[in-house]
């Protein structure tokens, strides 16, 4: 039923070549009369024959029979024919997937899938997107290839990079010419007064690009699965060290991935049309710029090299391409099939779709939530977040924070937004001076380009919040991150347990606040009291009044840290900022909210019982008389004695 490239829906049999009948998608090997199994003189298979056989294996192992049937129906309804060749066009694919025109990403997507469609013979790209080629595309874009190609499971990012890259020697020379200057001991450029705060290729990254010159593990795994692993090295193509993903194309892809991140199975992209107009479209572009800034400075470098792509994706955004799965699975669901109709004639009413974000906050919007889903699994975020605390509404105090956040027994996400402060020579005085005096002397340059730039940091904690006495709380699943102006992720490390602390100021610990990655403040005697905060190598601190914060990234530190260093900014920097907003979101549903409400109700009853000091007699006057006799209240109070 697959047939040839010219006629995808008519049977055509080749000598010892897999073909398909109308009743089966499994390969059938035809042996002519007089041929024996001992005949070893048959010519090696052609690339077209190998492609057909791999497509057959993917179809058999990676899809259900209903999905294959639906895919052929979809392909048949979309196919164009030119010169007896059936294939899919760019505008047809964009229209079917409902990709918004305003993003301008359709040509980039078509470039991607035309390259992937040539798999495993990638040097034949771009491929004409026929039936077999689309099988390759859907299998790889939906991550289903791992059911067949286990040995190449970790190599898809190299394939995706090549599908987005362009090969241009001039662009490569431009990148080499604009590399950062020599790096000094602090990690900042030697000829710069402060770090740029954006990722720029530095010396030493070139060697990482050598890995892109080797044959793809995914390709070798595919050929090995066909028992043709020894077909020999394929002919040389353009030099991979000249491959770059243009910054503009990458931003378009990121905007699309932000848009499709919350997509569910069979969910239409057009249902999110409100996110690509007006303010929502602007927010989408702002978030995409922050993500692109993790890979390069667009003012100095025109494209992204494989070394940075390969190092940043796994650490800072491992789930960035997850949205491709529901998007390309649309090819597996034919609109001619009604899955809601029952045999008895009754119709299944679809469930009411809950909003992606139930509560409205000042910091978290749909684009930011999609950005979070690039490194936190989306099933913990979309339709699962509840606003527990908002500083603008609940008050910027640790007491309000505790009242709203404590007793939430599921993971939480803290977001803090602020404006960068000037250095010590431009202090405004008052509360700002008091806060800066609690920090160690500044040793690192700012991580941002300009004073007054806005920054957004955050923390993901899998453990409930609690007061910190001598030990911090949290675990190695904790994540410290930055969302603006550069996307960066600092994952928890098992070598240090100082993940999070919540300490109210007291006589023994005058410097309280909330910190992440710092040792907890230790109660001390007055004459030994410390006047500065002990900062961790990678840490975020906020003062007890939630007025100011400080993020430190000591990349060159040799001490242990609760959070790992940056994969995109391998230098020391520190951002001191004035807090403008603070939010905490709970990851969970109705059950977690119910449990928190029950816990707070129980604690309220206990507090009321302690306040009333009910001795159990039921007679308030009698209880009062007993307390006066004990000297605890009234004029007979003597203070008691200690034994």
């Amino acid at each position: 039923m697959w047939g040839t490239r010219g006629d995808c829906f008519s049977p055509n049999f080749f000598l010892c070549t897999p073909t398909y009948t109308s009743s089966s998608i499994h390969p059938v090997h035809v042996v002519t009369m007089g041929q024996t199994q001992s005949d070893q003189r048959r010519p090696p298979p052609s690339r077209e024959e190998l492609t057909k056989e791999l497509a057959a294996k993917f179809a058999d192992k990676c899809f259900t029979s209903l999905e294959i049937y639906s895919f052929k129906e979809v392909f048949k309804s979309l196919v164009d024919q030119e010169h007896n060749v059936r294939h899919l066009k760019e505008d047809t694919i964009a229209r079917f997937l409902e990709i918004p025109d305003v993003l301008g990403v359709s040509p980039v997507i078509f470039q991607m899938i035309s390259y992937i469609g040539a798999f495993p013979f990638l040097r034949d790209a771009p491929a004409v997107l026929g039936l077999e080629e689309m099988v390759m595309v859907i299998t790889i874009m939906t991550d289903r290839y791992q059911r067949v190609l286990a040995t190449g499971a970790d190599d898809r990012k190299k394939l995706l990079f090549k599908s987005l890259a362009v090969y241009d020697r001039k662009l490569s020379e431009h990148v080499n010419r604009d590399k950062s200057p020599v790096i000094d001991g602090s990690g900042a450029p030697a000829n710069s007064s402060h770090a740029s705060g954006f990722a720029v290729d530095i010396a030493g990254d070139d060697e990482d690009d050598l890995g892109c010159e080797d044959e793809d593990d995914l390709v070798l795994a595919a050929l090995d699965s066909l028992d043709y692993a020894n077909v020999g090295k394929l002919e040389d193509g353009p030099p991979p060290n000249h491959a770059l993903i243009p910054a503009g194309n990458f931003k378009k892809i990121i905007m699309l991935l932000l848009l499709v991140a919350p997509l569910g199975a069979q969910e239409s992209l057009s249902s999110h049309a409100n996110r690509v107009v007006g303010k929502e479209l602007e927010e989408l572009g702002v978030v995409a710029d922050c993500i692109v800034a993790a890979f390069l400075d667009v003012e100095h470098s025109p494209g992204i090299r494989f070394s940075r792509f390969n190092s940043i994706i796994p650490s800072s955004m491992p789930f960035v391409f997850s949205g491709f799965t529901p998007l390309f699975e649309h090819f597996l669901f034919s609109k001619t099939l009604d899955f809601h109709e029952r045999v008895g004639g009754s119709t299944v009413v679809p469930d009411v779709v809950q909003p992606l974000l139930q509560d409205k906050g000042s910091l978290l919007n749909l684009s930011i939530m999609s950005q979070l889903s690039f490194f936190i699994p989306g099933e913990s975020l979309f339709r699962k977040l509840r606003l527990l605390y908002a500083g603008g509404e609940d008050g910027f105090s640790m007491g309000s924070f505790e009242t709203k956040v404590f007793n939430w027994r599921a993971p939480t996400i803290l977001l803090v937004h602020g404006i960068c402060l000037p250095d010590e020579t431009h202090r405004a005085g008052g509360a700002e001076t008091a806060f800066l005096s609690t920090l160690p002397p500044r040793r690192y340059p700012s991580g941002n380009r300009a004073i007054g730039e806005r920054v957004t940091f955050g923390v993901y904690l899998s453990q409930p919040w609690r007061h910190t006495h001598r030990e911090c709380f949290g675990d190695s699943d904790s994540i410290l991150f930055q969302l603006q102006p550069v996307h960066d992720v600092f994952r928890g490390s098992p070598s240090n347990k100082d993940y999070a602390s919540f300490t109210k100021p007291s006589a023994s610990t005058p410097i309280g606040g909330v910190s992440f990655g710092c040792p907890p403040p230790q109660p001390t005697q007055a004459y030994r009291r410390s006047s500065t905060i002990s900062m961790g190598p990678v840490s975020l601190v906020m003062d007890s009044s939630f007025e100011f914060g400080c993020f430190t990234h000591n990349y060159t530190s040799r001490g242990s840290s609760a959070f790992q260093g940056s994969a995109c900014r391998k230098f020391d920097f520190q951002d001191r900022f004035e807090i403008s907003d603070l939010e905490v979101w709970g990851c969970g549903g109705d059950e977690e909210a119910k449990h928190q409400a029950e816990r707070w109700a129980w604690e309220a009853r206990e507090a009321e019982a302690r306040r009333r000091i009910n001795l159990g007699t039921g007679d308030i006057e009698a209880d009062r008389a007993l307390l006066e006799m004990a000297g605890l209240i009234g004029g007979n109070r003597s203070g008691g004695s200690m034994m």
Side-chain angles (χ1 to χ4, degrees):
M1 184 113 178
W2 296 79
T4 66
R5 183 188 298 270
D7 190 355
C8 298
F9 297 96
S10 62
N12 190 6
F13 294 89
F14 295 93
L15 183 65
C16 295
T17 301
T19 57
Y20 298 87
T21 65
S22 59
S23 60
S24 173
I25 62 170
H26 297 281
V28 178
H29 293 275
V30 181
V31 180
T32 60
M33 183 178 299
Q35 183 180 15
T36 64
Q37 294 183 357
S38 62
D39 185 7
Q40 302 297 328
R41 293 177 296 177
R42 73 171 65 100
S46 65
R47 292 187 176 187
E48 184 175 0
E49 292 171 345
L50 289 175
T51 299
K52 290 179 180 293
E53 187 171 349
L54 182 59
K57 180 166 289 191
F58 280 158
D60 184 47
K61 301 294 184 181
C62 303
F63 305 96
T64 66
S65 57
L66 181 59
E67 288 174 334
I68 288 295
Y69 175 81
S70 298
F71 167 65
K72 291 191 291 186
E73 289 293 313
V74 169
F75 184 87
K76 190 174 182 179
S77 66
L78 300 176
V79 69
D80 285 286
Q81 182 168 342
E82 295 180 6
H83 306 294
N84 203 32
V85 176
R86 294 174 179 249
H87 63 101
L88 300 185
K89 293 183 177 180
E90 175 187 328
D91 59 341
T92 303
I93 294 175
R95 186 171 60 254
F96 175 76
L97 295 179
E98 300 177 328
I99 297 177
D101 293 336
V102 69
L103 298 182
V105 72
S106 297
V108 185
I109 288 292
F110 191 73
Q111 172 190 324
M112 283 188 69
I113 62 179
S114 296
Y115 182 89
I116 295 174
F119 187 84
F121 303 105
L122 299 175
R123 289 180 175 85
D124 291 342
V128 177
L129 296 178
L131 195 64
E132 290 86 1
E133 289 77 12
M134 287 303 298
V135 170
M136 304 295 184
V137 169
I138 298 170
T139 304
I140 292 173
M141 296 298 279
T142 61
D143 230 9
R144 299 189 181 204
Y145 68 92
Q146 298 188 51
R147 304 175 188 179
V148 176
L149 309 180
T151 58
D154 297 328
D155 199 59
R156 189 177 76 145
K157 63 179 179 292
K158 182 185 293 187
L159 179 60
L160 293 178
F161 173 85
K162 289 184 175 181
S163 71
L164 288 168
V166 297
Y167 297 89
D168 191 327
R169 183 180 297 274
K170 292 182 179 180
L171 286 178
S172 180
E173 292 174 352
H174 184 85
V175 171
N176 293 331
R177 184 172 60 252
D178 291 330
K179 282 183 181 179
S180 297
V182 178
I183 305 299
D184 64 18
S186 69
N191 299 327
S192 175
S193 60
H194 65 278
S196 68
F198 289 85
V200 181
D201 289 326
I202 61 177
D205 280 350
D206 284 339
E207 61 187 27
D208 294 336
D209 279 316
L210 297 178
C212 196
E213 296 182 2
D214 301 331
E215 288 294 338
D216 288 325
D217 291 339
L218 205 60
V219 171
L220 297 178
L223 296 175
D224 183 64
S225 70
L226 300 173
D227 295 328
Y228 296 120
N230 297 321
V231 294
K233 184 176 178 63
L234 302 178
E235 68 271 11
D236 293 332
N241 58 327
H242 295 157
L244 297 172
I245 300 178
N249 287 359
F250 191 66
K251 179 182 177 179
K252 294 175 183 178
I253 282 291
I254 291 298
M255 292 181 69
L256 176 63
L257 290 170
L258 290 169
L259 183 63
V260 302
L263 276 186
Q266 303 186 51
E267 186 177 357
S268 173
L269 188 56
S270 61
S271 62
H272 299 270
N274 61 324
R275 295 183 58 190
V276 290
V277 293
K279 181 181 178 181
E280 287 74 13
L281 179 60
E282 293 180 6
E283 293 172 347
L284 207 64
V286 169
V287 172
D289 285 333
C290 295
I291 295 175
V292 173
F295 293 86
L296 80 166
D297 182 351
V298 294
E299 295 182 1
H300 296 87
S301 179
I304 300 168
R305 303 168 64 186
F306 179 71
S307 58
R308 299 201 62 80
F309 187 89
N310 191 42
S311 62
I312 295 174
I313 292 292
S315 60
S316 297
M317 48 189 81
F319 310 125
V320 62
F321 296 114
S322 297
F324 278 148
T325 296
L327 181 65
F328 280 87
E329 280 183 346
H330 278 77
F331 284 101
L332 305 179
F333 300 100
S334 174
K335 296 181 179 180
T336 61
L337 300 177
D338 186 2
F339 294 99
H340 299 294
E341 186 175 348
R342 292 180 177 176
V343 177
S346 60
T347 302
V348 179
V349 179
D351 296 333
V352 178
V353 179
Q354 298 295 326
L356 293 174
L357 190 60
Q358 298 184 21
D359 301 324
K360 184 178 181 180
S362 300
L363 297 181
L364 188 65
N365 53 45
L366 294 181
S367 296
I368 294 292
M369 187 162 56
S370 293
Q371 183 181 6
L372 293 174
S373 73
F374 285 179
F375 58 92
I376 300 174
E379 55 267 22
S380 301
L381 302 175
F382 301 117
R383 303 182 177 90
K384 292 292 184 66
L385 292 183
R386 291 176 176 269
L387 182 60
L388 303 180
Y389 166 81
E393 297 181 2
D394 302 318
F396 290 91
S397 70
M398 297 188 71
S400 299
F401 187 103
E402 178 184 356
T403 301
K404 295 292 184 177
V405 177
F406 279 42
N407 288 325
W408 182 265
R409 297 301 172 184
T412 53
I413 296 175
L414 178 145
L415 298 176
V416 57
H417 180 78
I419 301 175
C420 287
L421 297 173
D423 57 28
E424 286 82 349
T425 60
H426 299 86
R427 288 185 179 178
E432 180 181 329
T433 300
F435 169 72
L436 294 177
S437 66
T438 65
L439 302 179
R442 179 190 286 272
R443 294 184 297 151
Y444 314 118
S446 173
N448 297 285
R449 287 182 161 183
I451 296 172
E453 187 168 24
R454 297 183 179 275
V455 293
T456 302
F457 294 95
V459 180
Y460 169 85
L461 294 175
S462 59
Q463 291 189 359
W465 286 76
R466 60 179 174 82
H467 289 280
T468 303
H469 300 291
R470 295 186 179 276
E471 294 182 354
C472 293
F473 61 93
D475 55 25
S476 58
D477 292 331
S478 304
I479 303 175
L480 181 61
F481 54 86
Q482 182 175 2
L483 300 179
Q484 184 187 10
V486 181
H487 177 98
D488 212 342
V489 176
F490 316 91
R491 297 193 174 272
S493 171
S495 61
N496 188 304
K497 307 297 182 183
D498 298 332
Y499 299 110
S501 67
F502 184 94
T503 307
K504 289 184 175 180
S506 65
S508 59
T509 54
I511 303 179
V514 179
S515 67
F516 308 93
C518 298
Q522 299 295 331
T524 58
Q525 297 178 352
Y527 68 90
R528 299 177 57 188
R529 194 171 297 161
S530 174
S531 60
T532 60
I533 300 173
S534 180
M535 308 287 287
V538 180
S539 58
L540 173 66
V541 298
M542 296 183 293
D543 65 353
S544 58
S545 60
F546 294 157
E547 291 185 85
F548 301 97
C550 178
F551 177 82
T552 300
H553 182 258
N554 185 0
Y555 186 81
T556 57
S557 172
R558 300 187 181 277
S560 64
S561 175
F563 296 97
Q564 302 173 18
S566 171
C568 67
R569 293 180 288 179
K570 298 182 179 181
F571 52 83
D572 301 338
F573 65 91
Q574 186 178 80
D575 288 327
R576 302 177 178 187
F577 55 93
E578 182 179 3
I579 297 174
S580 58
D581 217 336
L582 178 65
E583 293 178 354
V584 179
W585 294 78
C587 305
D590 295 337
E591 191 64 29
E592 287 77 9
K594 179 181 178 181
H595 179 84
Q596 185 191 38
E598 292 175 348
R599 181 68 182 178
W600 278 123
W602 179 84
E603 292 189 2
R605 291 193 299 269
E606 290 294 306
E608 179 66 17
R610 289 191 298 269
R611 187 183 67 81
R612 295 180 61 183
I613 320 179
N614 191 337
L615 301 183
T617 63
D619 189 340
I620 297 178
E621 293 299 326
D623 292 343
R624 182 175 180 84
L626 287 174
L627 293 175
E628 289 179 351
M629 292 175 59
L632 298 178
I633 62 174
N636 297 329
R637 181 172 55 194
S638 62
S641 61
M642 297 182 64
M643 300 297 295

